[in-house]
Amino acid sequence: MDFSLFMERYGYKILLAVMSALVITFIAVPIIGIAVTAKKFGLTFGAFLLIIALVSSLFFRRTSEAYAQAHGKYFYDNRKRR
């Protein structure tokens, strides 16, 4: 079996395996890092994550409202139609 026939038969399976491994790695590394840090620092780390989540949700809400107001002002017509 030559190389082109091999790649035609198994190339997509190999590509799928490599891409799946990359996606799993990109997802697993942060999760493992958070788990190790949580195990090391315990309740302090949990409180820190909770504070970060609350603060980021407040900033996300403000930026989302500003974004919506900007689009409402510039992309929608407030004039009444006849």
Side-chain angles (χ1 to χ4, degrees):
M1 178 183 298
D2 62 343
F3 182 70
S4 60
L5 185 61
F6 173 79
M7 287 307 289
E8 183 179 336
R9 186 167 183 182
Y10 298 109
Y12 288 110
K13 293 176 184 174
I14 293 171
L15 182 63
L16 177 66
V18 169
M19 294 308 250
S20 299
L22 285 173
V23 168
I24 290 171
T25 301
F26 283 138
I27 292 171
V29 168
I31 290 173
I32 292 171
I34 289 171
V36 168
T37 307
K39 190 171 185 177
K40 185 175 182 180
F41 293 110
L43 190 59
T44 306
F45 182 69
F48 182 69
L49 281 180
L50 184 64
I51 291 170
I52 286 178
L54 290 173
V55 170
S56 64
S57 68
L58 290 174
F59 282 118
F60 180 73
R61 185 182 320 154
R62 286 183 184 173
T63 56
S64 295
E65 287 176 2
Y67 187 76
Q69 286 178 357
H71 277 271
K73 182 177 179 183
Y74 292 111
F75 293 113
Y76 297 107
D77 192 7
N78 291 338
R79 291 180 287 173
K80 293 181 182 179
R81 296 185 182 191
R82 295 181 198 189

